[in-house]
């Protein structure tokens, strides 16, 4: 299809009776003021949906509508259109055959874009119409920077081979913005932001350098042969973080900020001497979007309502538990967002301060100068706070101060590294905390994990293997379920992992009067039995299993997070889940 004849979108939508003439005139007036495209104005004003507009275009132009969410991409065909033109013209190459190339466009009426794409591709173009939001997500996903990273690595390796100049002086020079090492790092950060990586690992080996990025909790590896570039990368990163570039025998920690593609990124950097040089790990904190609100962290509605009620209490302690990387800090920051009002004085004690929040007094712990959690907490309580957040309760002294603060009119939020909600009480007792203190101050424990979501684009039915069936049978009393589980086979949308994004799995234990009375007597065994049988308690593994039943995650993910959880599953608890999934 060749869109040589200019189609007026507004008239087309009026002809299809999707909008009225008055609505069109109103939208045209707004368009002149805002400069936005007419279609975007009509959609944002609520006159019609994007799908309605695309269906009308598809019918009028006699071209197909393609749902990119479920489309199986060929990486070689995608790259027929360079990324810069793909973003500029809102277009992506979908397939190619002897009849030409099928190109998906958000606006197939754009004659200029059509002509430019024809010039670039040098083949007959057949058009399809696609959703703009899906198109932009697809571009972010499929145009990785790995080729660019490898290219800059080779260029840097050649420069280091040919030059005898002082590398330290070269990389310390502020005027080398175009140096290969800077371009390499820029591409590395851009790629990490594009795929939503939380960490970047740079690891020198004997003959290669490994670049690994943690996406959805799992590392993805890119290996480069240019081992000579490792010291140059580490040196530049140390300079950026203000570290001692001459010290290579001791670990160092630092941080710096940078702006990548309209994202303001805080980078926490850690170096460590290893066998073949220095290993660097960088945690990326995207400050652009701010922290999540409590209703957007993925907590089920029933549990969310209970948690919101708990954090509105005037005093008491609420703990969030789980291993490193389970989303504890995100949950606590989301809770602070809800509690952050002018009437409340909030002080946080953190190591480190991850996100900067307005109106909240955030204190960074510095143990090397004696500014420990317990020291800061004592001072914080003299600052007349209503709410105190403690980044982590690491010792008996900090825990005892926090519990006494919770008893004397403060709401205390904190984290603890335990496997589940019920075992948290035993952990605190083992730390030396008195049972009467826990019974008086501790109000609730929220245990959580993150499981990976099945990629919607490549999801298909999954046949459980013998090991998975055995695990399921042992958990739910060997009942046979008439349930179809799902698994992603891997596609361009999910970088061929089968997963895209993560969802929280939560287990909330509220300490009512009965549980508090049992705890005050120090009978931990009785407490565990009563806690697991309490009315609203659902163990983490059963919540995760429900997600698998609904096709949100896989059985592999359920088993993974269940591996480190003690099975405190009572038959009555299991039966409720069985009824839901049989």
């Amino acid at each position: 299809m060749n869109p040589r004849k200019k189609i007026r979108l507004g008239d087309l939508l009026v002809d299809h009776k999707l909008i009225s003439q008055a609505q069109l005139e109103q939208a045209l007036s707004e368009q002149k003021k805002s400069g936005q495209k007419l279609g975007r104005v009509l959609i944002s004003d609520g006159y019609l949906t994007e799908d309605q507009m695309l269906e009308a275009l598809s019918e009028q132009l006699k071209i197909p509508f393609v749902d990119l969410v479920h489309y199986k991409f060929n990486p070689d065909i995608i790259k027929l259109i360079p990324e810069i033109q793909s973003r500029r013209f809102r277009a992506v190459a979908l397939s190619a055959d002897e009849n030409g190339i099928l190109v998906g466009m958000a606006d197939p009426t754009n004659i200029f874009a059509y002509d430019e794409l024809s010039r670039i591709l040098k083949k007959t173009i057949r058009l399809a119409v696609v959703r703009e939001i899906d198109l932009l997500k697809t571009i972010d996903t499929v145009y990785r920077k790995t080729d660019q990273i490898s290219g800059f690595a080779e260029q840097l390796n050649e420069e280091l081979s040919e030059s005898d100049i002082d590398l330290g002086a070269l990389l310390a020079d502020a005027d080398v913005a175009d140096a290969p090492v800077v371009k390499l790092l820029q591409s590395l950060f851009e790629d990490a932001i594009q795929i939503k990586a939380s960490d970047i690992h740079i690891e020198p080996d004997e003959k290669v350098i490994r670049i690994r990025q943690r996406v959805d909790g799992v590392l993805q590896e890119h290996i480069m042969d240019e081992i000579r570039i490792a010291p140059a990368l580490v040196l530049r990163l140390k300079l950026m973080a203000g570290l001692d570039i001459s010290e290579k025998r001791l670990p160092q920690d630092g941080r710096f900020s940078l702006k990548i593609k309209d994202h303001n990124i805080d980078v926490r950097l850690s170096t460590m001497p290893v066998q073949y040089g220095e290993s660097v790990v960088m945690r990326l904190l995207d400050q652009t979007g701010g922290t999540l609100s409590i209703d957007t962290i993925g907590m089920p509605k029933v549990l969310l309502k209970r948690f919101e009620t708990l954090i509105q209490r005037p005093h008491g302690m609420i703990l969030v538990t789980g291993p490193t990387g389970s989303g504890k800090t995100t949950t606590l920051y989301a809770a602070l967002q809800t509690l952050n009002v002018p009437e409340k004085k909030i002080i946080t004690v953190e190591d480190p301060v991850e996100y900067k929040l307005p109106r909240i007094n955030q204190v960074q712990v510095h143990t090397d100068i004696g500014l420990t959690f317990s020291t800061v907490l004592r001072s914080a309580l003299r600052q007349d706070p209503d709410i105190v957040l403690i980044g982590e309760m690491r010792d008996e002294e900090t825990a005892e101060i926090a519990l006494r603060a919770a008893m004397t009119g403060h709401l205390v939020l904190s984290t603890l590294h335990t496997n589940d909600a019920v075992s948290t009480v035993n952990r605190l007792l083992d730390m030396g905390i008195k049972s009467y203190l826990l019974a008086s101050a501790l109000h609730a424990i929220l245990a959580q994990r993150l499981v990976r979501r099945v990629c919607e684009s490549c999801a298909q039915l999954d046949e459980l293997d013998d090991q998975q069936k055995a695990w399921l049978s042992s958990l739910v009393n060997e009942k046979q379920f008439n349930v179809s589980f799902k698994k992603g086979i891997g596609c361009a949308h999910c970088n061929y992992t089968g997963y895209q994004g993560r969802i929280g799995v939560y287990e909330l234990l509220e300490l009512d009067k009965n549980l508090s009375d049992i705890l005050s007597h120090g009978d931990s065994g009785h407490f565990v039995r009563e806690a697991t049988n309490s009315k609203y308690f659902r163990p983490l593994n059963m919540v995760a299993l429900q997600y698998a039943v609904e096709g949100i995650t896989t059985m592999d993910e359920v088993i993974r997070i269940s591996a480190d959880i003690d099975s405190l599953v009572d038959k009555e608890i299991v039966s409720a889940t069985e009824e839901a999934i049989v």
Side-chain angles (χ1 to χ4, degrees):
M1 173 265 167
N2 189 330
R4 287 294 173 185
K5 183 178 179 182
K6 180 66 175 174
I7 294 176
R8 295 171 63 89
L9 177 62
D11 294 339
L12 171 63
L13 297 175
V14 171
D15 290 343
H16 280 72
K17 296 183 171 52
L18 292 172
I19 61 172
S20 66
Q21 187 64 39
Q23 289 172 331
L24 172 59
E25 291 172 3
Q26 175 67 25
L28 287 170
S29 176
E30 289 183 33
Q31 182 196 21
K32 290 179 182 177
K33 297 175 184 176
S34 66
Q36 285 185 310
K37 290 185 176 181
L38 177 61
R40 189 53 50 197
V41 174
L42 289 166
I43 293 167
S44 61
D45 284 351
Y47 293 146
L48 78 168
T49 66
E50 184 172 13
D51 281 3
Q52 287 176 318
M53 183 180 73
L54 296 180
E55 285 171 11
L57 280 170
S58 175
E59 181 182 338
Q60 180 68 27
L61 299 174
K62 294 180 173 55
I63 61 176
F65 167 74
V66 175
D67 186 353
L68 295 181
V69 172
H70 302 288
Y71 195 82
K72 305 294 189 297
F73 289 94
N74 182 330
D76 294 329
I77 292 174
I78 282 278
K79 293 176 182 177
L80 292 175
I81 302 177
E83 181 183 1
I84 188 169
Q85 278 80 18
S86 184
R87 291 186 183 278
R88 179 185 177 191
F89 300 129
R90 297 292 194 264
V92 61
L94 300 175
S95 63
D97 54 31
E98 64 276 4
N99 297 321
I101 298 175
L102 179 65
V103 175
M105 294 184 68
D107 180 12
T109 67
N110 188 332
I111 296 174
F112 174 74
Y114 178 89
D115 289 340
E116 284 296 300
L117 290 171
S118 297
R119 183 183 61 79
I120 292 168
L121 296 172
K122 297 181 175 62
K123 288 187 178 180
T124 303
I125 291 179
R126 292 174 289 118
L127 293 183
V129 61
V130 299
R131 297 187 195 95
E132 185 172 12
I133 187 170
D134 293 340
L135 175 71
L136 294 174
K137 286 181 180 178
T138 296
I139 292 172
D140 284 341
T141 303
V142 300
Y143 286 98
R144 294 290 305 276
K145 301 288 183 182
T146 49
D147 292 342
Q148 197 175 76
I149 291 170
S150 297
F152 287 135
E154 290 176 12
Q155 186 179 346
L156 176 58
N157 190 57
E158 289 173 5
E159 283 203 8
L160 296 178
S161 301
E162 296 170 0
S163 175
D164 292 328
I165 64 172
D166 182 355
L167 181 62
L170 169 67
L171 297 177
D173 189 347
D175 297 327
V176 292
D178 60 343
V181 67
V182 178
K183 290 181 179 179
L184 173 57
L185 285 172
Q186 183 177 358
S187 297
L188 187 59
F189 284 119
E190 285 180 357
D191 187 56
I193 296 306
Q194 198 162 296
I195 62 173
K196 297 181 174 61
S198 60
D199 302 82
I200 301 174
H201 296 232
I202 300 175
E203 302 168 344
D205 211 329
E206 183 178 7
K207 296 180 180 179
V208 298
I209 180 170
R210 302 178 192 276
I211 306 291
R212 300 202 281 178
Q213 297 164 313
R214 191 175 295 280
V215 181
D216 294 337
V218 178
L219 287 170
Q220 299 177 5
E221 186 173 78
H222 179 58
I223 298 176
M224 296 185 294
D225 295 328
E226 295 81 11
I227 185 61
R228 288 172 58 90
I229 73 173
L233 283 177
V234 175
L235 183 58
R236 168 53 69 174
L237 288 169
K238 281 184 174 181
L239 288 167
M240 293 168 70
L243 302 181
D244 183 355
I245 61 174
S246 63
E247 180 56 77
K248 300 178 182 180
R249 300 166 300 169
L250 295 174
Q252 296 188 70
D253 295 311
R255 65 190 305 166
F256 58 89
S257 299
L258 49 86
K259 188 168 185 177
I260 298 288
K261 289 188 173 181
D262 298 324
H263 290 260
N264 295 315
I265 308 298
D266 269 359
V267 182
R268 294 209 316 258
L269 180 143
S270 172
T271 69
M272 178 175 288
V274 292
Q275 187 176 7
Y276 296 106
E278 288 182 275
S279 168
V280 176
V281 175
M282 292 176 282
R283 168 65 57 89
L284 309 181
L285 301 170
D286 192 344
Q287 305 285 349
T288 307
T291 55
L292 293 173
S293 61
I294 198 166
D295 56 348
T296 59
I297 60 175
M299 202 177 283
K301 288 184 179 179
V302 175
L303 191 146
L304 176 62
K305 187 175 181 181
R306 290 162 57 203
F307 187 65
E308 284 182 316
T309 302
L310 286 165
I311 64 174
Q312 292 295 344
R313 291 183 179 180
H315 57 82
M317 175 179 283
I318 299 171
L319 290 176
V320 180
T321 75
T324 301
S326 60
K328 301 186 298 295
T329 303
T330 300
T331 298
L332 286 178
Y333 272 110
L336 287 186
Q337 288 280 73
T338 300
L339 298 169
N340 189 10
V341 293
E343 296 80 18
K344 299 286 185 182
K345 168 91 169 188
I346 302 176
I347 298 177
T348 73
V349 187
E350 304 173 67
D351 183 22
V353 174
E354 293 197 7
Y355 293 96
K356 301 174 181 67
L357 301 173
R359 200 189 289 117
I360 293 178
N361 298 271
Q362 297 173 271
V363 182
Q364 167 78 55
V365 168
H366 288 288
T367 54
D368 52 339
I369 59 171
L371 202 62
T372 63
F373 275 104
S374 56
T375 304
V376 176
L377 187 52
R378 284 194 185 91
S379 298
L381 294 176
R382 293 193 288 270
Q383 291 278 312
D384 188 30
D386 297 290
I387 300 164
V388 177
L389 183 147
I390 306 167
E392 183 185 348
M393 293 204 301
R394 297 178 179 175
D395 53 64
E396 179 186 354
E397 184 181 15
T398 303
E400 187 165 330
I401 297 170
L403 285 162
R404 293 190 183 279
M407 291 175 62
T408 55
H410 304 89
L411 178 65
V412 179
L413 308 176
S414 189
T415 71
L416 204 62
H417 285 90
T418 56
N419 286 340
D420 52 51
V422 177
S423 65
T424 299
V425 169
N426 285 334
R427 170 70 188 281
L428 289 167
L429 291 173
D430 290 343
M431 286 171 64
I433 303 300
K434 304 295 188 293
S435 58
Y436 73 87
L437 263 181
L438 282 178
S440 302
L442 186 58
H443 286 186
I445 305 165
L446 180 75
Q448 67 180 75
R449 295 288 191 283
L450 294 174
V451 294
R452 291 181 289 173
R453 289 178 177 269
V454 174
C455 174
E456 293 183 4
S457 301
C458 60
Q460 63 178 23
L461 295 181
D462 181 31
E463 183 70 29
L464 300 187
D465 59 31
D466 291 341
Q467 183 180 356
Q468 291 170 331
K469 288 177 181 176
W471 182 89
L472 183 59
S473 297
S474 67
L475 184 67
V476 291
N477 303 326
E478 301 185 4
K479 279 202 172 187
Q480 296 297 315
F481 295 106
N482 185 23
V483 172
S484 297
F485 296 95
K486 286 186 177 180
K487 187 174 186 177
I489 59 173
C491 65
H493 285 283
C494 59
N495 199 29
Y496 304 96
T497 62
Y499 298 97
Q500 192 171 45
R502 290 190 287 181
I503 186 171
V505 180
Y506 301 93
E507 169 185 289
L508 180 62
L509 176 63
E510 296 180 56
L511 276 73
D512 56 17
K513 187 177 185 305
N514 177 47
L515 288 177
S516 295
D517 287 344
I518 295 170
L519 185 56
S520 65
H521 291 97
D523 189 346
S524 59
H526 189 194
F527 176 84
V528 168
R529 289 191 297 273
E530 288 295 312
T532 55
N533 287 314
S534 58
K535 185 176 180 181
Y536 298 109
F537 180 78
R538 288 190 71 203
L540 282 164
N541 46 14
M542 297 305 291
V543 177
L545 178 58
Q546 186 62 44
Y547 281 154
V549 169
E550 295 170 4
I552 296 172
T553 191
T554 64
M555 277 299 295
D556 286 338
E557 285 291 282
V558 178
I559 294 172
R560 179 181 65 81
I561 73 155
S562 301
D564 61 346
I565 300 172
D566 296 331
S567 287
L568 300 170
V569 184
D570 188 270
K571 290 182 180 179
E572 294 180 10
I573 301 169
V574 170
S575 65
T577 303
E578 288 179 349
E579 290 174 8
I581 64 180
V582 169

